[in-house]
Amino acid sequence: AQKVTQAQTEISVVEKEDVTLDCVYETRDTTYYLFWYKQPPSGELVFLIRRNSFDEQNEISGRYSWNFQKSTSSFNFTITASQVVDSAVYFCALSNAGGTSYGKLTFGQGTILTVHP
Amino acid sequence: DAGVIQSPRHEVTEMGQEVTLRCKPISGHNSLFWYRQTMMRGLELLIYFNNNVPIDDSGMPEDRFSAKMPNASFSTLKIQPSEPRDSAVYFCASKGFGNQPQHFGDGTRLSIL
């Protein structure tokens, strides 16, 4: 069975601080995909990134960066110089790459990030 | 480009009434997913379709819930009869072929009194 754990339920930082959101996953599949989604206070779920299990290169997009380490089954998300607009719930998710449950997402419980001015 | 469109955005109804939630996926996407989000249980997958065919409905809580996808551009999730514990935000998501990411609608906030 697949499982995604986001151990940090809530994080509170002050604007301009860097913050890292942790994500640890479990799967028996050798090929899989990892995702991060953002849910701002308005409630919609916004796709941020997808990473496949064969690509362990870190990725940077503006103030966002992701660190995928297969050896520790982790896919952590860092926001550099956080801003108030980053306040949201962030979800890490996992899907396998084949079989009958192809494309089905398993979500973590989410981390509530609050950035104070 | 239009995203996933859900209606209604909010629904308040009394226990026992039938509730129908609607979803229009992104054009060209071949998979559609229905999720429920609550504080207690987080995001739960209820059912998903590939090419309009239900593939996995193991997340549907009970027989009061049913979902259909009569064509590639429309899906419904129906609750009959509704109960207060069905109160939640219901999301629809769609994705394209292969391992494309799922894109979510804005959700329907359902309150059963």
Side-chain angles (χ1 to χ4, degrees):
Chain A
Q2 297 184 322
K3 186 178 179 182
V4 176
T5 302
Q6 295 178 253
Q8 303 147 310
T9 305
E10 290 191 55
I11 301 176
S12 182
V13 300
V14 177
E15 211 169 18
K16 297 184 184 177
E17 283 186 30
D18 297 348
V19 57
T20 295
L21 310 181
D22 297 333
C23 173
V24 175
Y25 62 91
E26 296 174 27
T27 180
R28 292 178 183 169
D29 297 323
T30 55
T31 304
Y32 50 89
Y33 288 80
L34 295 160
F35 304 79
W36 277 94
Y37 284 83
K38 174 182 180 180
Q39 187 172 37
S42 48
E44 70 273 23
L45 278 156
V46 179
F47 164 71
L48 295 179
I49 189 172
R50 179 191 65 173
R51 173 67 61 184
N52 78 53
S53 53
F54 293 112
D55 183 1
E56 288 194 67
Q57 281 193 351
N58 291 334
E59 181 155 342
I60 299 174
S61 176
R63 295 184 297 106
Y64 294 173
S65 62
W66 291 269
N67 184 342
F68 174 33
Q69 292 198 355
K70 211 167 179 178
S71 59
T72 56
S73 298
S74 65
F75 186 44
N76 297 337
F77 174 28
T78 297
I79 302 174
T80 303
S82 60
Q83 299 176 2
V84 172
V85 294
D86 296 327
S87 297
V89 183
Y90 290 87
F91 292 94
C92 182
L94 167 71
S95 77
N96 65 3
T100 56
S101 58
Y102 178 67
K104 181 177 168 180
L105 285 175
T106 300
F107 282 91
Q109 286 300 303
T111 297
I112 302 171
L113 173 65
T114 303
V115 181
H116 299 281
Chain B
D1 289 342
V4 176
I5 299 172
Q6 291 187 245
S7 64
R9 289 297 310 277
H10 303 273
E11 174 92 9
V12 181
T13 191
E14 292 188 348
M15 182 175 68
Q17 297 297 307
E18 178 178 293
V19 173
T20 299
L21 310 181
R22 296 172 177 79
C23 176
K24 178 179 168 57
I26 292 172
S27 178
H29 282 189
N30 71 319
S31 297
L32 183 140
F33 304 79
W34 282 101
Y35 291 88
R36 178 171 68 177
Q37 186 179 33
T38 60
M39 288 293 293
M40 291 296 295
R41 301 173 69 91
L43 271 162
E44 303 174 274
L45 176 66
L46 300 177
I47 185 171
Y48 80 96
F49 297 83
N50 273 352
N51 298 318
N52 314 337
V53 176
I55 301 300
D56 183 351
D57 65 355
S58 59
M60 296 286 260
E62 46 198 279
D63 292 345
R64 298 184 297 107
F65 285 70
S66 63
K68 293 183 180 179
M69 192 165 185
N71 58 61
S73 59
F74 184 65
S75 177
T76 59
L77 177 67
K78 188 173 292 187
I79 309 173
Q80 167 63 18
S82 57
E83 296 183 5
R85 60 194 168 115
D86 301 331
S87 297
V89 180
Y90 290 80
F91 287 100
C92 175
S94 71
K95 78 171 189 69
F97 290 94
N99 287 290
Q100 297 301 310
Q102 294 181 25
H103 293 274
F104 286 75
D106 289 341
T108 294
R109 186 171 294 277
L110 177 64
S111 296
I112 308 297
L113 306 177

